[in-house]
């Protein structure tokens, strides 16, 4: 199988200071090149992603002009593989991994140095494209095999503490990215699933990624995305299940809410407190879907006491974790089941 190795720049919102490699599939490490653009004010931290594509990954793009077909197909193939790897990293860690999309732009001001004062008022506004490159970049990004970064491997944190003890979610950029010590097992199981399971997993993962991406800008939609990620996994779990009807009332004996709760109890943890919490979250999901309820912290400014505000933020973080762990725990238990 012929492999085409690709080296590209992606971004994180918390610094990645060390190196991570998953087998011979991909690796990431901090971008640190001579001549590379730098800023102490940056909120997007450049990271090198190395990966490869093969004929199995190829996407054939139909275009009007035949001479552009090969170029468009190569670009689509690379972006599709990139996006899949970024999605896996975003869901299986506590951080968002992303790339810039070339079709978008915005009005902006170029920050000309790291200590702007009143002079910034006179800096010109221009239409800006999200790009990251420098003159010597092309020569540094040719690749025939994975490189060997001379830096330490990322720090690995025990599985449950990683997700449940101050997961960060890119809220503190003074910290650095760490990984759960189960990430190789989770990735192993993901890549070993059959095509049908993988398709459903990819749908659940896409919703969990949206939940992470929207958590600071569209909080209610972020919650809905996370709830939908869980529901997608519930459907996968019960795909062969046929519910019976009650002889007396004709209602299904296993309601959607019960399957939802039972799934979380099985994969997240079975306890009285969890049962109560999962019921509360399903009720929250129903209020959002059926009555249009919005989180109050959605607005830029709203009068709320500290306890209520903290409660919304806590619910937000816990529901985000549910969306992630609904996938992660399923993969871990599947790995244990078939080990």
């Amino acid at each position: 199988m012929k492999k085409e190795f690709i080296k590209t720049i992606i971004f994180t919102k918390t610094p990645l200071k060390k190196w991570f490699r998953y087998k011979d599939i991909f690796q990431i490490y901090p971008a640190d090149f001579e001549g590379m653009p730098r800023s102490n004010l940056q909120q997007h931290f450049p990271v090198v992603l190395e990966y490869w594509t093969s004929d199995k990954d190829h996407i054939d793009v139909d275009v009007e002009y035949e001479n552009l077909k090969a170029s468009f197909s190569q670009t689509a193939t690379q972006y599709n593989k990139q996006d899949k790897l970024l999605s896996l990293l975003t869901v299986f860690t506590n951080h968002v991994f992303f790339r810039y999309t070339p079709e978008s732009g915005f009005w902006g001001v170029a920050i000309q140095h790291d200590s702007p004062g009143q002079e910034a008022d006179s800096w010109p506004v221009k239409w800006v494209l999200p790009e990251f490159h420098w003159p010597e970049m092309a020569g540094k990004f040719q690749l025939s095999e994975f490189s060997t970064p001379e830096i330490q491997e990322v720090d690995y944190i025990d599985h449950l503490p990683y997700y449940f003890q101050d997961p960060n979610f890119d809220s503190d950029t003074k910290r650095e990215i760490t990984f759960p010590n189960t990430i190789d097992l989770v990735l192993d199981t993901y890549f070993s699933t059959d095509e049908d399971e993988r398709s459903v997993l990819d749908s659940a993962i896409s919703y969990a990624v949206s939940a992470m991406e929207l958590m600071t800008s569209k909080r209610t939609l972020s919650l809905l995305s996370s709830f939908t990620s869980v529901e997608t996994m519930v459907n996968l779990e019960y795909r062969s299940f046929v519910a019976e009807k009650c002889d007396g009332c004709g209602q299904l004996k296993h309601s959607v809410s019960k399957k939802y709760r039972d799934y979380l109890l099985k994969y997240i943890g079975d306890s009285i407190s969890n049962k109560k919490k999962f019921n509360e979250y399903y009720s929250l999901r129903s209020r959002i879907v059926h009555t249009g309820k919005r989180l109050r912290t959605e607005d830029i400014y709203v009068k709320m006491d500290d306890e209520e505000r903290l409660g919304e933020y806590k619910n937000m973080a816990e529901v985000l974790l549910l969306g992630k762990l609904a996938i992660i725990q399923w993969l871990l238990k599947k790995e244990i089941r078939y080990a």
Side-chain angles (χ1 to χ4, degrees):
M1 178 177 62
K2 185 179 179 181
K3 297 178 181 179
E4 179 190 1
F5 282 85
I6 298 109
K7 181 176 181 178
T8 190
I9 293 287
I10 61 168
F11 298 92
T12 58
K13 297 180 179 181
T14 300
L16 176 72
K17 298 184 178 180
K18 298 174 183 174
W19 160 76
F20 172 76
R21 176 169 173 173
Y22 173 64
K23 296 187 172 178
D24 66 342
I25 306 299
F26 71 92
Q27 68 176 2
I28 56 173
Y29 53 92
D32 185 16
F33 300 98
E34 185 177 351
M36 185 183 84
R38 302 174 191 273
S39 173
N40 293 330
L41 303 177
Q42 67 183 356
Q43 296 178 341
H44 295 171
F45 300 91
V47 169
V48 176
L49 167 66
E50 296 181 2
Y51 67 103
W52 51 263
T53 62
S54 68
D55 291 341
K56 289 178 62 177
D57 302 305
H58 182 73
I59 296 174
D60 197 29
V61 177
D62 291 326
V63 294
E64 183 177 355
Y65 301 102
E66 188 64 28
N67 61 323
L68 297 176
K69 184 179 179 68
S71 177
F72 275 65
S73 296
Q74 182 186 46
T75 299
T77 299
Q78 292 181 4
Y79 278 164
N80 187 66
K81 187 71 172 281
Q82 263 187 62
D83 290 344
K84 178 167 288 189
L85 297 176
L86 296 179
S87 293
L88 294 176
L89 286 167
T90 297
V91 173
F92 298 159
T93 72
N94 289 327
H95 305 281
V96 176
F97 291 77
F98 62 100
R99 65 176 176 87
Y100 289 153
T101 54
E103 66 272 11
S104 61
F106 53 91
W107 288 105
V109 174
I111 305 298
Q112 298 178 22
H113 54 77
D114 286 346
S115 301
Q118 289 186 345
E119 62 179 308
D121 295 337
S122 63
W123 291 346
V125 173
K126 296 182 180 294
W127 184 251
V128 179
L129 295 178
E131 294 284 348
F132 188 85
H133 59 79
W134 61 100
E136 302 82 11
M137 180 179 180
K140 300 179 184 296
F141 278 69
Q142 303 301 315
L143 203 65
S144 59
E145 61 182 3
F146 285 131
S147 59
T148 309
E150 296 182 356
I151 55 175
Q152 290 183 329
E153 192 174 359
V154 294
D155 295 332
Y156 295 98
I157 309 299
D158 288 345
H159 180 72
L160 290 180
Y162 180 82
Y163 294 106
F164 288 105
Q165 293 180 8
D166 193 15
N168 187 16
F169 289 150
D170 295 323
S171 61
D172 184 357
T173 59
K174 293 182 180 179
R175 292 162 60 175
E176 65 179 89
I177 289 177
T178 58
F179 278 33
N181 65 356
T182 49
I183 191 164
D184 278 11
L185 288 176
V186 174
L187 288 168
D188 285 347
T189 311
Y190 170 82
F191 283 110
S192 68
T193 54
D194 61 45
E195 188 174 336
D196 290 340
E197 284 183 335
R198 182 91 59 85
S199 176
V200 180
L201 281 168
D202 285 344
S203 292
I205 286 168
S206 71
Y207 286 117
V209 170
S210 294
M212 288 288 287
E213 291 174 338
L214 294 170
M215 63 182 171
T216 57
S217 59
K218 302 289 183 183
R219 292 188 175 93
T220 307
L221 288 178
S222 174
L223 282 184
L224 276 181
S225 295
S226 195
F227 284 133
T228 305
S229 178
V230 177
E231 291 184 44
T232 304
M233 294 305 299
V234 172
N235 288 334
L236 175 61
E237 178 78 0
Y238 292 97
R239 62 191 182 280
S240 302
F241 176 78
V242 179
E244 298 178 2
K245 288 187 177 181
C246 173
D247 294 333
C249 66
Q251 297 293 317
L252 294 178
K253 290 184 178 180
H254 291 81
S255 65
V256 174
S257 60
K258 185 178 187 305
K259 287 193 293 184
Y260 191 97
R261 184 191 66 200
D262 288 350
Y263 179 90
L264 294 175
L265 290 172
K266 176 180 178 180
Y267 287 103
I268 307 299
D270 191 348
S271 67
I272 294 174
S273 60
N274 274 355
K275 185 178 293 187
K276 179 181 177 182
K277 188 179 291 289
F278 298 153
N279 283 335
E280 290 173 352
Y281 286 147
Y282 193 83
S283 296
L284 173 60
R285 173 256 179 210
S286 297
R287 290 197 301 275
I288 293 172
V289 171
H290 299 300
T291 71
K293 174 183 170 61
R294 295 171 71 242
L295 294 181
R296 295 191 65 196
T297 51
E298 190 86 64
D299 296 326
I300 295 176
Y301 175 77
V302 62
K303 287 187 176 181
M304 298 174 65
D305 60 47
D306 291 342
E307 184 176 354
E308 185 181 4
R309 188 181 299 274
L310 183 60
E312 277 207 354
Y313 287 140
K314 182 181 177 183
N315 286 345
M316 183 87 192
E318 290 184 354
V319 173
L320 280 175
L321 275 177
L322 282 186
K324 288 170 167 286
L325 290 172
I327 302 166
I328 293 165
Q329 295 299 107
W330 185 91
L331 287 168
L332 282 176
K333 291 204 172 186
K334 183 179 177 67
E335 191 277 335
I336 292 170
R337 197 158 59 239
Y338 294 106

